[in-house]
């Protein structure tokens, strides 16, 4: 009997244990199907907290719920407490985190694993109004600090883009309007929400996406994590295109943005002001009206700051701003600034009346505007004082100004039957090179005023220069630049060839093509004068194209006479621009004239590589791919030669013998040249020593292994006819 009772007791206990175990197993099984998903809650409409339910919702939430349901999961969404997904990965309170673009390491260095893509998220730029964006190489982009992962993607994909991080959208927009950044970057779904804010109505989404990022879920890369992601991927892959579109359209078409007080004031400020006006006391109404009048007056004052109401010209402040802008925008042009004054203008007003004085000022303004181009400016500084910023174009333009402006103004009253002549005194300041770096218009006006005062006190009614030497220099430069094309057409610019010699056998192995310009007005011009002017004005490309064509034509002629020889031509840094495709132009030239590429050697100065390394290196590589030999000219002339040799894939070096000819320790100079020759030889590059002027220099170079030379010791640059005699062309 006792045994039976014991058995019954045991059975009862066993059943209880089994029941508890079953319940626990069931609960555990349920827990496996419930996912805690950590998400940000401040990225409406992707993730945000619903005002009514107080639950997290959004595009990302709905898509995850569909995927989880397809995979047999229940999901619970909680806001991420950490500052970034990397930190959140180390918190085991979350089963899953969103959103990931790709797998990243946690703050503690643990690897993560991510799911299939839930949705492709386009990232677009937002700018202020019609602001023109700079190229990507100079673009400054503002982003939220919570998007640090996206920022890393931007820096990787677009190395030239500068990313500036901000705490919130308000700071982003403030920086954009202050021009601290050129544009803001976020995904287009967030923009559909953010740009509902009334005060952001001036922000414009750029039409094309900068790039798109994946939108994935992720967790730590563990056996459990991999199993969870694998199961979740099944649900993600079952989401239909229709479901994607429905969820996205639902949230992006909602008016989710909730106005705050400032938004209401921004949108309905006038209405609110009227309502307040109807209920407040008369005194308050009066104050409001006074404030409105004050605001209107301030706006009118602001509108008048930059323009003169009488003449319609720029005011003093407006002129200073525009003049500085023009100078900065056109650093390659030569300008002068004139300060102009009517002598005894008070006499005109007293004799003929204030209206007559105003009329002559308006006439002066009208005639001046008719004579100005787009990149010039005129302003009324005060009373009868006008300031003009003009491009220097030589004496002809000064004569035009006199005929079209000054003389009509001087005879304004005479032509109307009065014998009073208007006398204009002008002081002219010609801009110096330093003025283009940081234009100080006030200082320039002061100097022009000094010259004007000198003329006024001398009782002459003409003009004077503050710095006449600079004016003559500017006029000469303008004349040289302006007559380039006519000089090319007329043959005033000739191609000279300087032979390149093999010292051992004294044979001509090649030549360098150079220019000589016999100017019709200025006489013989030195390349050291006209080359820098053409580079500064952007005309060097016109000259170089002419040289390249002439050299290729000569090579074609000599090849037909079986006098095969190579010629070096210069490629200026001003020639090389992305849109010009210089390598392709050289390829077209040799095809046109039927010459092999190795006959046309291309010299690029070492200084050009230093100042524009990336585009020049790219150009050099492309030229070599077409079979051209590219030489670094002026090697050793004072720039970072060794660094450029490492970076630039040139075929040869032209060694500048300044080391031997300039001042300094001769022994040290020879040691340096010797080492340079050995270095170039070990690099497997061709070497030509240029600037050889004495027999002693030639013998020294030969003793150190440099046989190919060029310089006045052998032959100066000579016209093509003389060079043809040297190479035996009949």
């Amino acid at each position: 009997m006792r045994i039976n009772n014991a058995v019954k007791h045991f059975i009862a206990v066993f059943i209880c244990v089994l029941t508890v175990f079953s319940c626990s197993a069931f609960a555990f099984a349920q827990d496996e199907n419930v996912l805690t998903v950590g998400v940000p809650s401040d990225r409406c409409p992707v993730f945000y907290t619903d005002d009514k339910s107080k639950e997290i919702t959004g595009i990302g939430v709905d898509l995850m719920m569909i995927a989880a349901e397809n995979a047999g999961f229940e999901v619970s969404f909680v806001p991420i407490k950490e500052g970034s997904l990397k930190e959140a990965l180390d918190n085991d309170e979350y089963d899953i985190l969103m959103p990931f673009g790709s797998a990243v390491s946690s703050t503690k260095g643990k690897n993560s694993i991510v799911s299939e893509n839930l949705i492709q998220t386009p990232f677009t730029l937002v700018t202020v109004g019609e602001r023109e964006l700079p190229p990507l190489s100079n673009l400054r982009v503002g982003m939220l600090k919570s998007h640090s992962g996206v920022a890393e993607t931007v820096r990787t994909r677009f190395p030239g883009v500068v990313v500036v991080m901000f705490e919130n959208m308000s700071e982003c927009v403030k920086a954009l309007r202050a021009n601290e950044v050129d544009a803001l970057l976020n995904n287009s779904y967030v923009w559909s929400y953010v740009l509902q804010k009334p005060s952001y109505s001036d922000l414009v989404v750029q039409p094309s996406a900068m790039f798109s990022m994946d939108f994935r879920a992720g967790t730590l890369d563990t056996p459990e994590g991999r199993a969870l992601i694998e199961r979740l991927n099944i649900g993600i892959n079952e989401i239909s295109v229709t479901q994607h579109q429905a969820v996205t359209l639902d949230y992006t078409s909602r008016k989710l943005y909730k106005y705050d007080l400032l938004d209401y004031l921004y949108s309905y400020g006038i209405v609110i002001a009227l309502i307040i006006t109807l209920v407040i006391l008369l005194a308050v109404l009066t104050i409001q009206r006074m404030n409105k009048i004050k605001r209107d007056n301030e706006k009118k004052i602001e509108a008048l700051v930059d323009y003169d109401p009488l003449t319609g010209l720029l005011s003093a402040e407006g002129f200073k701003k525009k003049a500085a802008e023009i100078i900065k925008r056109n650093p390659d042009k030569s300008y002068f600034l004139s300060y102009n004054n009517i002598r005894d203008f008070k006499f005109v007003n007293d004799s003929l009346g204030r209206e007559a004085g105003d009329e002559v000022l308006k006439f002066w303004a009208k005639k001046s505007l008719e004579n100005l181009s787009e990149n010039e400016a005129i302003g009324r500084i005060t009373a009868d004082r006008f300031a003009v910023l003009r491009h220097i174009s030589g004496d002809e333009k000064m004569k035009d100004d006199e005929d079209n402006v000054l003389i009509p103004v001087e005879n304004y009253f005479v032509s109307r039957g009065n014998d009073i002549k208007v006398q204009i005194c002008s002081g002219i300041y010609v801009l110096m090179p330093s003025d283009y770096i940081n234009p100080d218009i006030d200082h320039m006006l002061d100097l022009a005023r000094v010259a004007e005062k000198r003329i006024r006190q001398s009782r002459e009614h003409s003009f004077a220069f503050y710095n006449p030497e600079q004016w003559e220099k500017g006029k000469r430069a303008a004349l040289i630049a302006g007559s380039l094309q006519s000089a090319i057409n007329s043959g005033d610019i000739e191609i000279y060839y300087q032979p390149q010699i093999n010292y051992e056998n004294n044979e001509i192995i090649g030549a360098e093509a150079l220019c000589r310009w016999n100017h019709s007005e200025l006489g013989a011009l030195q390349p050291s004068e006209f080359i820098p002017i053409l580079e500064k004005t952007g005309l060097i490309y016109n000259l170089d194209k002419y040289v390249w064509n002439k050299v290729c034509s000569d090579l074609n002629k000599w090849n037909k006479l079986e006098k095969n020889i190579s010629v070096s031509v210069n490629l200026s840094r001003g020639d090389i621009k992305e849109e010009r495709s210089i390598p392709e132009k050289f390829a077209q030239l040799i095809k046109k004239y039927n010459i092999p590429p190795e006959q046309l050697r291309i010299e690029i100065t070492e200084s050009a590589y230093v100042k524009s390394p990336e585009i020049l290196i790219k150009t050099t590589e492309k030229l070599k791919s077409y079979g051209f030999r590219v030489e670094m000219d002026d090697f050793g002339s004072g720039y970072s030669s060794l660094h450029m040799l490492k970076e630039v894939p040139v075929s040869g070096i032209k060694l500048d013998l300044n080391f031997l000819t300039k001042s300094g320790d001769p022994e040290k100079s020879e040691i340096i040249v010797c080492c340079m020759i050995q270095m170039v030889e070990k690099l497997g590059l061709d070497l030509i020593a240029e600037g050889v002027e004495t027999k002693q220099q030639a013998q020294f170079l030969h003793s150190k292994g440099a046989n190919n030379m060029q310089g006045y010791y052998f032959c100066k640059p000579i016209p093509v006819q003389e060079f043809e005699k040297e190479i035996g062309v009949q």
Side-chain angles (χ1 to χ4, degrees):
M1 196 65 168
R2 290 181 179 175
I3 294 174
N4 290 337
N5 289 335
V7 171
K8 290 178 181 178
H9 180 73
F10 173 77
I11 292 171
V13 172
F14 177 75
I15 290 171
C16 290
V17 172
L18 184 61
T19 301
V20 172
F21 178 77
S22 298
C23 291
S24 299
F26 177 73
F28 180 73
Q30 279 191 319
D31 289 343
E32 283 187 326
N33 292 325
V34 178
L35 295 180
T36 299
V37 182
V39 296
S41 59
D42 59 349
R43 299 187 191 177
C44 188
V46 183
F47 297 110
Y48 68 97
T49 302
D50 184 81
D51 288 340
K52 294 180 179 179
S53 65
K54 304 302 180 184
E55 293 181 350
I56 297 177
T57 186
I59 296 173
V61 170
D62 281 15
L63 291 175
M64 174 53 78
M65 290 180 69
I66 296 171
E69 184 179 346
N70 292 341
F73 287 119
E74 292 182 16
V75 287
S76 172
F77 293 92
V78 297
I80 296 174
K81 300 187 294 288
E82 292 76 14
S84 68
L85 287 174
K86 288 187 173 186
E87 296 177 33
L89 278 169
D90 292 318
N91 188 343
D92 57 10
E93 293 181 18
Y94 315 112
D95 298 315
I96 290 290
L97 290 166
M98 294 174 67
F100 284 89
S102 59
V104 298
S105 297
S106 74
T107 304
K108 294 182 179 180
K110 299 176 183 178
N111 293 331
S112 66
I113 183 171
V114 295
S115 70
E116 296 287 345
N117 192 21
L118 276 159
I119 187 172
Q120 200 73 19
T121 311
F123 274 76
T124 51
L125 293 171
V126 161
T127 59
V128 173
E130 301 299 325
R131 180 185 294 177
E132 184 176 347
L133 287 176
L136 283 177
S137 58
N138 295 322
L139 190 64
R140 301 167 299 164
V141 170
M143 295 183 65
L144 295 172
K145 285 187 177 179
S146 58
H147 277 181
S148 57
V150 180
E152 291 180 10
T153 300
V154 173
R155 293 186 180 102
T156 302
R157 293 190 184 186
F158 309 99
V161 173
V162 176
V163 178
V164 185
M165 309 300 287
F166 299 95
E167 290 289 346
N168 52 55
M169 186 58 67
S170 176
E171 290 186 8
C172 286
V173 174
K174 184 178 179 182
L176 177 64
R177 287 173 174 160
N179 204 27
E180 295 173 11
V181 294
D182 302 307
L184 304 180
L185 181 65
N186 210 319
N187 73 64
S188 59
Y189 305 131
V190 171
W191 286 134
S192 70
Y193 164 77
V194 170
L195 297 188
Q196 293 177 29
K197 185 175 178 67
S199 60
Y200 291 171
S201 59
D202 60 327
L203 304 186
V204 177
V205 179
Q206 294 300 305
S208 58
M210 189 173 181
F211 63 90
S212 293
M213 286 192 67
D214 293 343
F215 189 90
R216 304 171 184 266
T219 187
L220 289 177
D221 188 3
T222 63
E224 295 81 5
R226 286 192 291 273
L228 192 155
I229 293 297
E230 183 177 352
R231 181 175 167 186
L232 188 58
N233 283 341
I234 296 172
I236 293 173
N237 291 327
E238 291 180 5
I239 301 176
S240 67
V241 175
T242 303
Q243 287 175 308
H244 274 113
Q245 292 174 344
V247 170
T248 304
L249 181 61
D250 179 25
Y251 283 97
T252 54
S253 60
R254 295 184 189 183
K255 296 296 183 181
L256 295 171
Y257 182 77
K258 301 295 187 297
Y259 277 26
D260 57 24
L261 177 60
L262 292 177
D263 292 325
Y264 282 111
L265 290 174
Y266 186 88
S267 299
Y268 310 109
I270 297 176
V271 175
I272 294 173
L274 289 174
I275 294 172
I276 293 174
T277 303
L278 291 173
V279 296
I280 59 176
L281 298 174
L282 181 60
V284 176
L285 179 60
T286 304
I287 293 172
Q288 291 289 341
R289 186 174 180 182
M290 289 176 64
N291 287 338
K292 185 178 183 303
I293 293 172
K294 181 181 178 182
R295 288 195 299 270
D296 290 343
N297 288 336
E298 287 175 349
K299 288 181 180 178
K300 290 178 181 178
I301 291 171
E302 288 175 3
L304 292 174
V305 165
D306 287 346
Y307 289 92
D308 171 50
L310 175 66
T311 63
L313 299 177
L314 292 166
S315 65
E317 290 304 314
F319 174 79
K320 292 173 190 177
K321 285 192 285 187
K322 185 169 183 180
E325 290 171 3
I326 291 173
I327 294 168
K328 290 178 181 178
R329 195 168 60 241
N330 300 280
D332 55 345
K333 290 187 176 181
S334 299
Y335 283 98
F336 70 82
L337 189 149
S338 66
Y339 183 84
N340 311 275
N341 179 20
I342 296 178
R343 177 182 284 121
D344 298 328
F345 186 64
K346 186 176 182 299
F347 171 76
V348 173
N349 283 333
D350 292 344
S351 301
L352 303 177
R354 180 68 177 269
E355 289 185 2
D358 289 347
E359 287 301 319
V360 75
L361 293 179
K362 288 190 282 187
F363 179 76
W364 187 4
K366 176 177 175 294
K367 300 301 290 184
S368 297
L369 286 173
E370 291 173 356
N371 243 34
L372 290 185
S373 66
E374 180 182 354
N375 287 317
E376 298 176 320
I378 181 172
R380 184 186 181 198
I381 303 305
T382 181
D384 59 321
R385 276 86 166 171
F386 289 5
V388 183
L389 179 72
R390 289 284 259 159
H391 177 222
I392 297 175
S393 296
D395 291 333
E396 297 82 3
K397 197 167 189 177
M398 294 288 286
K399 185 67 168 60
D400 289 342
D401 286 349
E402 184 177 4
D403 294 340
N404 299 328
V405 181
L406 298 180
I407 292 177
V409 173
E410 288 179 351
N411 294 320
Y412 180 78
F413 295 116
V414 175
S415 64
R416 287 159 176 76
N418 195 303
D419 60 356
I420 294 178
K421 292 199 73 171
V422 177
Q423 298 182 2
I424 297 176
C425 303
S426 300
I428 299 174
Y429 172 76
V430 182
L431 272 65
M432 305 290 284
S434 59
D435 293 320
Y436 292 84
I437 300 172
N438 186 22
D440 186 345
I441 307 301
D442 280 316
H443 180 64
M444 298 179 203
L445 284 170
D446 286 342
L447 298 180
R449 192 180 291 115
V450 169
E452 181 272 332
K453 185 178 180 181
R454 189 165 63 242
I455 282 292
R456 184 159 35 90
Q457 291 177 342
S458 68
R459 304 308 296 174
E460 297 177 5
H461 61 283
S462 185
F463 60 87
F465 290 94
Y466 177 82
N467 46 357
E469 300 83 3
Q470 184 71 8
W471 165 250
E472 293 300 327
K473 183 179 178 182
K475 278 200 310 178
R476 185 177 176 90
L479 179 60
I480 290 172
S483 56
L484 172 65
Q485 195 56 52
S486 62
I488 291 175
N489 297 338
S490 64
D492 287 348
I493 296 180
E494 295 184 71
I495 307 300
Y496 275 48
Y497 291 98
Q498 185 171 32
Q500 295 167 341
I501 309 296
N502 182 306
Y503 186 75
E504 288 188 342
N505 54 30
N506 202 34
E507 290 184 358
I508 296 176
I509 57 171
E512 178 181 359
L514 301 166
C515 286
R516 294 295 181 265
W517 187 347
N518 186 22
H519 198 280
S520 57
E521 296 182 38
L522 304 176
L525 299 177
Q526 293 299 316
S528 58
E529 179 183 15
F530 67 79
I531 294 294
I533 291 173
L534 297 181
E535 286 183 333
K536 180 182 177 184
T537 55
L539 293 173
I540 190 66
Y541 182 57
N542 300 44
L543 176 64
D544 285 345
K545 279 196 304 181
Y546 168 70
V547 174
W548 302 338
N549 271 281
K550 185 65 173 67
V551 168
C552 288
S553 175
D554 288 343
L555 287 172
N556 173 270
K557 170 187 172 183
W558 299 337
N559 286 348
K560 289 178 180 178
L561 298 173
E562 298 184 353
K563 294 295 181 181
N564 301 92
I565 193 169
S566 65
V567 174
S568 298
V569 294
N570 288 290
L571 180 62
S572 169
R573 67 170 176 269
D575 296 333
I576 302 175
K577 296 182 179 179
E578 288 282 2
E579 65 272 15
R580 281 186 179 155
S581 304
I582 291 296
E584 286 71 22
K585 292 193 182 298
F586 275 110
Q588 292 167 5
L589 274 175
I590 61 171
K591 183 178 180 181
K592 174 183 177 181
Y593 290 100
N594 192 28
I595 58 177
E598 58 269 17
Q599 274 193 282
L600 189 65
R601 292 182 280 115
I602 300 167
E603 295 184 7
I604 309 179
T605 61
E606 176 202 345
S607 61
Y609 282 111
V610 173
K611 292 184 178 180
S612 306
E614 293 182 3
I615 186 172
L616 284 167
I617 290 170
K618 180 180 176 183
T619 301
T620 301
E621 291 172 342
K622 196 68 179 290
L623 285 168
K624 289 191 67 178
S625 72
Y626 282 121
F628 294 104
R629 300 189 60 77
V630 182
E631 300 171 338
M632 185 184 290
D633 194 16
D634 297 334
F635 181 75
S637 59
Y639 298 88
S640 55
S641 311
L642 299 179
H643 172 71
M644 297 316 299
L645 269 184
K646 178 172 69 73
E647 300 291 335
V648 184
V650 294
S651 312
I653 295 296
K654 293 198 73 176
L655 180 61
D656 190 334
L657 284 194
N658 278 332
F659 278 112
L660 295 181
T661 58
K662 286 192 173 180
S663 60
D665 189 325
E667 185 176 347
K668 289 182 179 179
S669 299
E670 291 183 358
I671 292 173
I672 293 172
V673 171
C674 180
C675 292
M676 292 169 77
I677 293 171
Q678 293 176 3
M679 176 184 63
V680 172
E681 181 182 356
K682 289 184 178 181
L683 289 172
L685 303 175
D686 295 335
L687 175 69
I688 295 179
E690 60 179 339
V692 181
E693 298 181 354
T694 66
K695 181 177 181 180
Q696 180 183 3
Q697 291 175 353
Q699 290 176 339
F700 168 74
L701 291 166
H702 177 62
S703 69
K704 302 304 178 183
N707 292 320
N708 298 333
M709 305 179 196
Q710 172 186 340
Y712 273 48
Y713 172 67
F714 302 102
C715 184
K716 66 180 181 179
I718 52 179
V720 61
Q721 298 83 356
E722 292 184 32
F723 181 74
E724 288 178 341
K725 291 179 182 179
E726 292 292 333
I727 61 175
V729 173
Q730 301 299 324

